[in-house]
Amino acid sequence: MTTTRTPLIAGNWKMNGTREEARGWAAAAAEALTGSTNDAAVFPPDAWLCDVAEVLASAGGAVALGGQSCCWEPKGAFTGATSAAMLAEVGCRYVLCGHSERRHVFGESDADVAGSMAQALAAGLTPVLCVGETIEEREAGRTQEVLLTQVDAGLGALRGADDPLVIAYEPVWAIGTGKAATPTEAAEAHAWIRARVAETDAERAERVRILYGGSVNPDNIGGFLDVPDVDGALIGGAALDPVKFGLMIRHASTGA
Ligand code: PGA
């Protein structure tokens, strides 16, 4: 991992946790990050954002807050959706755009994802552009093509060189399955993604953090953080265990 990019350890809680659990997980993440040189972020369900924001702020604000999704429209008749401006107002710094479950369960297209990114940027949020291939696409030898198509769509939403961006490579077949990619597979995909970013902005490519996600746990995180171009992790299931998530926050800081 390049030392100039601070590792970002992010927990995506998905649709999990009670209000009380959310507050406890947030406090535990803040505690784990104390004394660490890493960055950490949590992505709670929308219903708990205000609670988690309060807990994180009272713990010093080092752990960033993120939304799991935002609408591609700024406001209006979109029942069930959350706007980027709403996320920003409750204290989010990040928002996931195009998480695999948004794409494959809720049917978001690349155009929807680009629209969400545009809204995120307009609201002052840092979009975390999530990309990843299905097992069918990988077995058909289409991984690179699929990833670069998704990356291109996301990059198209950027307004200028100063727009903030994080990218997460999450192979669909590795999410929630216990079958993580190998660090070698992750490094290959991350290199493709970084090279694509470099085609239009070499400086952005150097600074953009590319996270790996998909069945990351305390036992395998070190393997990912040790390979080139992996700048952190986006963690689902294992982030629901505050002890495991804390271990991963601390693990990254040693690079061990
Ligand atoms: P997982 O989820 O760690 O449970 O595989 C990752 C994600 O969906 O971000």
Side-chain angles (χ1 to χ4, degrees), residues 4-253:
T4 52
R5 293 186 292 266
T6 305
L8 174 60
I9 308 302
N12 172 13
W13 299 349
K14 308 191 181 185
M15 195 173 71
N16 291 296
T18 64
R19 186 177 182 180
E20 195 183 332
E21 283 171 333
R23 295 183 70 99
W25 296 343
E31 167 91 36
L33 189 61
T34 304
S36 165
T37 55
N38 292 324
D39 288 343
V42 293
F43 294 78
D46 285 358
W48 312 145
L49 280 171
C50 289
D51 277 87
V52 172
E54 181 192 301
V55 171
L56 296 179
S58 66
V63 175
L65 184 66
Q68 296 177 8
S69 172
C70 69
C71 190
W72 47 87
E73 294 289 342
K75 65 176 186 173
F78 299 95
T79 300
T82 300
S83 75
M86 291 169 185
L87 296 177
E89 188 170 343
V90 296
C92 288
R93 196 182 310 170
Y94 296 102
V95 61
L96 304 181
C97 294
H99 185 276
S100 149
E101 285 139 29
R102 298 304 311 176
R103 293 178 188 268
H104 297 285
V105 180
F106 296 96
E108 289 186 10
S109 66
D110 275 332
D112 296 333
V113 175
S116 296
M117 284 189 57
Q119 292 301 324
L121 292 165
L125 299 172
T126 297
V128 180
L129 170 63
C130 302
V131 300
E133 81 287 0
T134 63
I135 193 63
E136 293 79 14
E137 290 163 343
R138 173 164 283 266
E139 286 173 352
R142 296 184 52 224
T143 299
Q144 185 177 20
E145 169 208 330
V146 168
L147 296 182
L148 297 187
T149 299
Q150 293 175 348
V151 167
D152 286 350
L155 292 180
L158 299 176
R159 303 160 305 176
D162 292 338
D163 273 345
L165 177 68
V166 173
I167 298 175
Y169 168 57
E170 297 201 299
V172 178
W173 47 271
I175 295 177
T177 60
K179 188 186 181 309
T182 65
T184 305
E185 287 168 333
E188 179 181 48
H190 285 223
W192 289 333
I193 293 166
R194 197 177 305 282
R196 189 60 145 210
V197 175
E199 285 176 24
T200 49
D201 188 336
E203 281 177 28
R204 178 188 297 285
E206 192 47 44
R207 73 173 182 269
V208 69
R209 289 187 287 193
I210 307 178
L211 317 182
Y212 168 75
S215 297
V216 175
N217 61 47
D219 295 330
N220 66 17
I221 191 168
F224 293 108
L225 296 176
D226 283 350
V227 294
D229 289 314
V230 177
D231 309 309
L234 181 55
I235 302 150
L240 301 179
D241 179 331
V243 174
K244 287 183 182 173
F245 192 52
L247 278 172
M248 290 187 281
I249 288 173
R250 288 192 294 271
H251 187 102
S253 66

